[in-house]
Amino acid sequence: MSKRDELIAKYAADIKDKIGETPDMDLLTKVTIGCGPSIYNSDSSTVSGSDEKELNTVKQNFLIKKLGLSDGPKLDEAITAVIEKYGKSNRNKYRAVVYYLLAKHFGKESVYNK
């Protein structure tokens, strides 16, 4: 099993255990691949739910650039909802899982079907 496959399995377990949903493995795999090398770095592989700068990066680089959404309060509300769903007290919020949840929240799974 490759390192990436191990991480995808870990992310799937997080979605099941911490969020209580059965992950769409195809989408989760594509989102993880889309994160690139950041998933292998302990700092960039997670998202700090309390760091405004970090959350702005998620909004700018993922929601606006990757998913093609327009900036507005709905994006901030969605990020807050996803962070709360994942568990504010949970220290390890994996970037791939946050991106996966945001893609599902906005119904933008099709972005990964190219």
Side-chain angles (χ1 to χ4, degrees), residues 4-21:
R4 184 171 69 200
D5 290 340
E6 289 173 18
L7 288 170
I8 291 168
K10 186 181 353 180
Y11 301 153
D14 243 28
I15 292 168
K16 273 190 194 124
D17 301 341
K18 295 180 179 152
I19 298 161
E21 294 178 5

Side-chain angles (χ1 to χ4, degrees), residues 13-110:
D14 243 28
I15 292 168
K16 273 190 194 124
D17 301 341
K18 295 180 179 152
I19 298 161
E21 294 178 5
T22 301
D24 173 341
M25 291 307 292
D26 187 47
L27 178 63
L28 181 59
T29 299
K30 290 175 180 176
V31 170
T32 302
I33 292 167
C35 288
S38 70
I39 62 171
Y40 303 109
N41 177 304
S42 61
D43 183 46
S44 62
S45 68
T46 58
V47 172
S48 169
S50 59
D51 182 347
E52 285 303 317
K53 189 169 175 264
E54 175 83 26
L55 298 177
N56 193 48
T57 300
V58 169
K59 180 166 80 169
Q60 294 299 322
N61 293 350
F62 184 69
L63 295 177
I64 296 172
K65 286 183 185 168
K66 179 71 179 174
L67 298 186
L69 300 168
S70 300
D71 196 357
K74 280 200 179 330
L75 301 188
D76 296 316
E77 290 164 14
I79 292 170
T80 300
V82 162
I83 295 295
E84 293 205 1
K85 188 178 195 180
Y86 203 158
K88 259 195 173 328
S89 61
N90 169 22
R91 279 188 43 82
N92 291 324
K93 290 185 246 331
Y94 295 107
R95 182 170 305 278
V97 174
V98 171
Y99 286 7
Y100 166 88
L101 292 170
L102 285 167
K104 287 194 74 75
H105 177 89
F106 285 107
K108 289 290 200 167
E109 295 93 336
S110 62

